[in-house]
Amino acid sequence: MADILIGGLVLLAAVLAAGKIIKDKRAGQSACAGCSGCAHQRSCPGSQGQPHANQ
Amino acid sequence: MAIRIALAGNPNSGKTTLFNALTGARQYVGNWPGVTVERKEGKLKLNSNSQQEDIILQDLPGVYSLSPYTLEEVIARNYLVDDKPDAIINIVDGTNLERNLYLSTQLAELGIPMLIAVNMMDVVRKQGDHIDLSQLSRQMGVAVMPLSALTGEGAQAAAQTAVQLAREGRSPSLPHVFHGPVEHALAHIEDALEHRHHGPLHHHHEGNLTHDGEAVPASLRRWYAIKLFERDEKVLAQLRLAADVRQDIEQAITACEAEMDDDAQSIITNQRYAYIQSLMTVALRRKRAAGELSTSDRIDRVVTNRLLGFPIFIAVMFLVYYIAVTSIGAVVTDFTNDTFFGTWIIPWLERQLPAWGVSDWLTGLMTEGIVGGVGAVLGFVPQMFVLFFMLAILEDIGYMARVAFIMDRIFRRFGLSGKSFIPMLIGSGCSVPGIMASRTIENQRDRRMTIITTSFIPCGAKLPIIALIAGTVLGGAWWVGPLCYFIGIAAVVVSGIILKKTRWFAGDPAPFVMELPAYHLSSLQGVLRSTWERGFSFIKRAGTVILLSSIVIWFLKSYGWVDGQFAAVEDMDHSVLAAMGNVVAPLFSPLGFGTWQNTVATVLGLVAKEEVVNVFGVLYGVGEGALDLVDEGAFDKLAPIAMNFTSLAAISFLTFNLLCAPCFAAIGAIKREMNNWRWTAFAVGYQTVFAYVISFIIYQLGMMATTAFQPMHLLPLALLAGLLYLVFSPNPHERTLKPQAAQA
């Protein structure tokens, strides 16, 4: 039972991490913490034309 | 329909600071010119927006004029002329009013409602100077307001006035900049545009064209007339004037040039400055006598001194890396590794998980794999934060802009300009934005060379590798951190020299003109924000890429084939990971670190440079007090890592990992910026071969010094001789690579 619970938590964490990586990759932000700190956000494929402030 | 307000001004005048203050955004603000390459937009947050309208604020790249020479100027000018915002907030640096108003006179000619916000008024007052804003407003024909973007003073008032101006849609009255024959010629050109030009305006860039097929709009007629007078090629191509109209205009320009005995562009520039000079006499009262040095000038006499500048820079960077890696940073990292993970988290998990009935393999995965791996990376985050904090302070007070100036003198001798150092400064946080920042370099050869060499400067993710090797193998030596930084700079210089001798990169570096901002005290809030934003990416990656790879690495190192069956292995040397690493390991044997563990760490460094530490974390449990053992001098207890490396092999390992191909994300950035797979392959290949050769020379020559001479030692000697030849042989393409740094 403990194995299922802890194993499930590990699996969930792994799935969430993988999901986040894929989502960031698709948004073209796999390399950074997001666009807010970057002077070049407009050239990020995921942020083209996307106003990031106050979204 | 949303109101669109553009923020325009000179580089480093505080546009992005105001943009952040008004939109609540957190755009990167740097105290050097050229931080904003692209335009950015955000929703304006007004304290009193009773009509609840959408108000969009556009942060434009800093420009000195609306000429079409640089990428930033083209972006700013295209937006202002084609997209026509409803109002412009022109931010001018109050401490540098004369130069900033040069752009203001051009913006006023666009016929867009405009407000001049005189920034840094707190500094102006502190200097004892006085700017007569109402006089300035009267002369310029636009509203003028005081501002301190850093403290937020006047920001809301300026925004509200700009919104009001946008709603009214009233064009500013044109300032009387030009006179005599120039005004006569301009009137002639305006007349030609009004009555004789009926052809369509031809726009050859990004959409949003509103007046295709119409004559030049009245509000823009003045601007077009001046640009035609200056013989602006982009405007000439855009207007597609009939031959006779063009001839008439040319006659008017030529006549004016003959009368003024100067060329058209210089005439316009001179008259603008003459007009600004007349403004200064009525609107500005300086406390400091003309020619007297300001505090910044006095500091610069020492800091940018031809002889002292570079030694001071070396001392500063030594101090920064010493504090980040060895002293304060190490104390916090030791606490995180030894106390937080080593004493609290891991022992607690080791006690609790079996007590809850969790099986041994899952306990191992949790403690050795996930906490060991992720913890090893997180343990070094404090050091990164200390490093980023100090770099942010240096940047904010204005020192980093001086560094670019100092480096220009050195880089120029080796074929690069100080402009190449800006991407490298940004790259000390992360190579990806550093590589992207290279797009401000107009010369394509210099740009390619900068892209190739930027990742030689250690990014934040390489800091854990430096700290790990310095701490566990090199006895916590204080000089390792600074040395790595200077190895990076040396690699840039050597590569610059070598590459400039090839026909693909030959040619003089572009002139470097950079305005040095006045020194000012850092804003703690700004520094902390910058530190957090740079550092957060590593925490984020620890929770994603590092977490996943920790799990995979743990499985690969814990399982393998035993007696023909796939099962858990007692000895890691029989694991799947060892089998994989052993295939590539012989490649690294000549560099002194050809074990499968080091090979796996190095290869996985391509995923993210922190992976190097992560691999050691999972394999050896670095998070479990390794650094503490170093402090105690208990190197024998560090057998797994220490046995992997001799000191020489550790330096070779560190050098290779610092200089070889960067992580996949940075390689992707190289591909985007090169826009060419062949150049990308060349960049990655060059970096890796260069790293291999340097590490090979270091290790083999080191071995030569400690062992008897063997014939195979001739190879590193030959490589060293070849490298020295490439560096010191004359440049076959050299014409005039002479220092020509200019200080604005």
Side-chain angles (χ1 to χ4, degrees), chain A residues 2-3 6-7 10 13-14 17-18 20-21 24 29-45 49 51-54, chain B residues 23 25-28 35 37-39 41-43 45 356-359 362 366 432-433 436-437 439 533 536-537 540 543-545 547-548 665:
Chain A
D3 275 0
I6 299 294
V10 172
K20 178 72 179 152
I21 292 169
D24 284 353
Q29 295 169 13
S30 54
C32 52
C35 293
S36 63
C38 185
H40 310 282
Q41 60 145 302
R42 293 282 298 198
S43 50
C44 267
H52 278 257
N54 305 316
Chain B
T23 61
R26 291 179 297 160
Q27 294 293 343
Y28 178 59
V35 169
V37 182
E38 314 276 342
R39 65 183 162 89
E41 67 177 34
K43 277 186 188 172
K45 278 181 176 174
W356 289 338
V358 176
S359 54
L362 196 52
M366 289 290 288
V432 174
M436 288 163 74
R439 63 176 57 175
E533 282 168 358
F536 177 67
S537 60
K540 181 186 150 190
T544 53
V545 178
L547 173 73
L548 269 187

Side-chain angles (χ1 to χ4, degrees), chain B residues 605-621:
Chain B
L606 287 172
V607 175
K609 287 295 167 186
E610 307 97 300
E611 283 287 358
V612 176
V613 172
N614 179 34
V615 170
F616 288 129
V618 176
L619 297 183
Y620 305 126

Side-chain angles (χ1 to χ4, degrees), chain B residues 187-463:
Chain B
H188 186 82
I189 298 170
E190 281 187 68
D191 185 57
L193 287 175
E194 186 181 358
H195 300 296
R196 298 178 59 189
H197 170 63
H198 299 291
L201 284 172
H202 171 62
H203 290 266
H204 44 82
H205 41 73
E206 49 178 49
N208 300 333
L209 308 179
T210 54
H211 40 266
D212 208 4
E214 296 168 13
V216 173
S219 60
L220 276 173
R221 208 171 289 141
R222 181 72 172 184
W223 187 80
Y224 275 111
I226 296 166
K227 289 292 142 195
L228 285 173
F229 186 88
E230 289 178 314
R231 298 193 181 92
D232 184 307
E233 284 178 8
K234 281 199 165 62
V235 166
L236 278 167
Q238 180 189 344
L239 289 178
R240 294 196 300 184
L241 297 167
D244 59 327
V245 177
R246 199 166 169 162
Q247 199 179 354
D248 277 1
I249 289 174
E250 186 55 35
Q251 271 176 4
I253 301 168
T254 315
C256 181
E257 284 179 322
E259 194 170 343
M260 306 278 293
D261 194 21
D262 211 342
D263 66 276
Q265 276 198 8
S266 303
I267 291 170
I268 293 288
T269 306
N270 290 340
Q271 291 219 346
R272 281 195 200 281
Y273 273 118
Y275 169 74
I276 293 165
Q277 198 54 51
S278 71
L279 281 183
M280 293 298 97
T281 54
V282 294
L284 177 66
R285 201 174 62 238
R286 284 192 196 282
K287 185 184 175 193
R288 207 172 60 235
E292 192 184 328
L293 293 179
S294 67
T295 309
S296 280
D297 294 335
R298 280 196 288 272
I299 297 172
D300 276 340
R301 281 202 154 183
V302 179
V303 169
T304 63
N305 181 281
R306 193 165 283 276
L307 295 175
L308 294 174
F310 192 60
I312 289 173
F313 167 60
I314 290 178
V316 167
M317 293 319 286
F318 251 96
L319 193 66
V320 164
Y321 273 83
Y322 174 74
I323 293 172
V325 179
T326 314
S327 61
I328 298 172
V331 170
V332 189
T333 287
D334 284 355
F335 172 80
T336 317
N337 278 334
D338 305 340
T339 309
F340 186 70
F341 286 113
T343 311
W344 297 346
I345 301 293
I346 291 177
W348 183 80
L349 283 173
E350 282 174 342
R351 274 196 315 274
Q352 285 302 317
L353 292 177
W356 289 338
V358 176
S359 54
D360 287 349
W361 72 270
L362 196 52
T363 304
L365 171 64
M366 289 290 288
T367 54
E368 295 169 19
I370 296 174
V371 179
V374 175
V377 173
L378 285 180
F380 292 100
V381 165
Q383 282 174 320
M384 282 186 216
F385 272 88
V386 175
L387 177 70
F388 293 151
F389 180 74
M390 285 187 298
L391 289 178
I393 290 175
L394 288 179
E395 186 189 314
D396 202 40
I397 60 173
Y399 180 69
M400 282 309 198
R402 270 75 186 173
V403 173
F405 177 69
I406 294 163
M407 293 309 290
D408 182 66
R409 285 192 201 128
I410 296 159
F411 274 20
R412 188 158 294 279
R413 292 174 192 277
F414 309 118
L416 282 168
S417 83
K419 212 164 188 178
S420 298
F421 198 68
I422 299 286
M424 290 169 199
L425 282 178
I426 297 172
S428 62
C430 173
S431 293
V432 174
I435 289 163
M436 288 163 74
S438 66
R439 63 176 57 175
T440 57
I441 301 169
E442 295 90 18
N443 182 315
Q444 198 178 40
R445 287 173 308 214
D446 289 1
R447 209 167 83 81
R448 282 187 182 139
M449 199 151 82
T450 305
I451 291 169
I452 292 169
T453 53
T454 289
S455 62
F456 285 150
I457 302 292
C459 67
K462 287 176 185 170
L463 189 75

Side-chain angles (χ1 to χ4, degrees), chain B residues 641-720:
Chain B
I641 286 191
M643 281 176 68
N644 245 336
F645 295 105
T646 59
S647 296
L648 188 60
I651 293 170
S652 169
F653 176 81
L654 199 50
T655 307
F656 184 81
N657 277 283
L658 285 178
L659 303 180
C660 73
C663 63
F664 286 138
I667 293 173
I670 292 175
K671 164 68 182 64
R672 278 199 298 277
E673 294 307 311
M674 293 283 199
N675 200 22
N676 180 315
W677 271 115
R678 233 184 283 176
W679 275 110
T680 308
F682 175 82
V684 171
Y686 175 81
Q687 290 159 343
T688 307
V689 170
F690 184 79
Y692 196 92
V693 168
I694 299 295
S695 299
F696 182 81
I697 291 172
I698 289 174
Y699 182 71
Q700 293 295 335
L701 289 187
M703 289 298 287
M704 203 171 83
T706 53
T707 57
F709 181 80
Q710 293 169 13
M712 72 165 289
H713 288 149
L714 287 173
L715 185 58
L717 282 174
L719 276 174
L720 180 63

